[in-house]
Amino acid sequence: SHGANFLYMLHGREPEQLEGEIMDKALILHAEHSFNASTFTARVVASTLSTCYCSISAAIGALYGAAYTIKFAAKKAGIPDVPVMPLEGLFWTKPGDSFPPADAGDWHWTLMLFEPPTVTRKLFDESVGQLRERKNPPGLSRVRLERFREGRAAQILHVGPYSAEAPTIERLHAFIRQSGYRLAGKHHEIYMGDPRRSAPEKLKTVIRQPASR
């Protein structure tokens, strides 16, 4: 089921039947509530017992809520289509910690959605204000609009579950070092697949790593 696949990607193991059934119901509620982050997050708590994943779910809800509000506000204002782009994430650990960490709770992270230059500060602020009045999803107060410049980076396409990324990351890091560069900046992932609709082994993730001399 979709719920079981989602839990498999989070934990790297086959979930119990009951866990999968609970997550299936959570995803149904998630869809029916138009990314109502508070509803989805509460059910992730019940199904995964993990604060890290709850926080990420709330962040995703707030981001997509803002992105779609911006999209519709832009259309109303006569601004050319503002697409909702794939989800991206920046991940890092404390200095001296292993990478990637064995425990997902040791990650520090920021999630992002690309917005074109036509999305101005005024449009962003007005859209977030509208979303706050309608739903005010958890995490909305931390959504921000800012420029992101990554610089020189190497990237690789990972096909498979998120829990199996480690060998792909190691290959990318080895390539950077063999090319005479060193790792610099934050681990960057771009999610090209939808874990609700794709089997874990078919998910596609672009993994990027900034590098410098």
Side-chain angles (χ1 to χ4, degrees), residues 161-173:
Y162 306 136
S163 59
E165 285 182 357
T168 306
I169 295 173
E170 291 171 2
R171 285 175 55 199
L172 180 62
H173 289 185

Side-chain angles (χ1 to χ4, degrees), residues 91-94 96-108 162-173 177 183 187-189 207 209:
F91 300 88
W92 66 98
T93 57
K94 292 185 296 185
D97 286 357
S98 61
F99 187 92
D103 186 349
D106 291 336
W107 283 112
H108 297 270
Y162 306 136
S163 59
E165 285 182 357
T168 306
I169 295 173
E170 291 171 2
R171 285 175 55 199
L172 180 62
H173 289 185
R177 295 187 178 102
L183 307 184
H187 175 83
H188 184 179
E189 298 189 358
I207 299 176
Q209 176 59 55

Side-chain angles (χ1 to χ4, degrees), residues 15-22:
E16 299 291 334
Q17 181 178 349
L18 178 60
E19 293 176 321
E21 291 174 355
I22 292 172

Side-chain angles (χ1 to χ4, degrees), residues 14-137:
E14 293 291 338
E16 299 291 334
Q17 181 178 349
L18 178 60
E19 293 176 321
E21 291 174 355
I22 292 172
M23 196 63 198
D24 280 331
K25 291 181 174 59
L27 292 175
I28 291 171
L29 287 167
H30 174 203
E32 290 179 348
H33 284 265
S34 303
F35 239 120
N36 184 320
S38 58
T39 300
F40 184 53
T41 302
R43 283 158 178 77
V44 172
V45 172
S47 59
T48 69
L49 304 179
S50 172
T51 301
C52 174
Y53 302 132
C54 297
S55 300
I56 290 176
S57 297
I60 291 173
L63 271 177
Y64 274 102
Y68 277 101
T69 304
I70 290 169
K71 176 183 176 67
F72 297 136
K75 183 177 181 180
K76 186 176 180 180
I79 298 173
D81 185 47
V82 176
V84 176
M85 302 296 287
L87 182 70
E88 304 184 36
L90 300 176
F91 300 88
W92 66 98
T93 57
K94 292 185 296 185
D97 286 357
S98 61
F99 187 92
D103 186 349
D106 291 336
W107 283 112
H108 297 270
W109 50 268
T110 296
L111 297 181
M112 310 182 295
L113 288 172
F114 171 80
E115 293 289 358
T118 51
V119 176
T120 63
R121 171 65 60 182
K122 181 175 183 293
L123 177 60
F124 172 80
D125 289 341
E126 290 176 350
S127 299
V128 170
Q130 293 172 14
L131 181 60
R132 182 175 292 108
E133 291 178 1
R134 292 203 322 270
K135 293 184 178 180
N136 197 24

Side-chain angles (χ1 to χ4, degrees), residues 130-184:
Q130 293 172 14
L131 181 60
R132 182 175 292 108
E133 291 178 1
R134 292 203 322 270
K135 293 184 178 180
N136 197 24
L140 183 61
S141 63
R142 302 186 68 180
V143 174
R144 60 192 185 274
L145 180 67
E146 61 181 40
R147 293 186 180 276
F148 174 68
R149 185 179 186 279
E150 190 166 48
R152 189 189 302 270
Q155 70 180 34
I156 189 171
L157 177 65
H158 171 75
V159 180
Y162 306 136
S163 59
E165 285 182 357
T168 306
I169 295 173
E170 291 171 2
R171 285 175 55 199
L172 180 62
H173 289 185
F175 169 78
I176 291 172
R177 295 187 178 102
Q178 291 166 6
S179 300
Y181 289 82
R182 63 180 179 83
L183 307 184

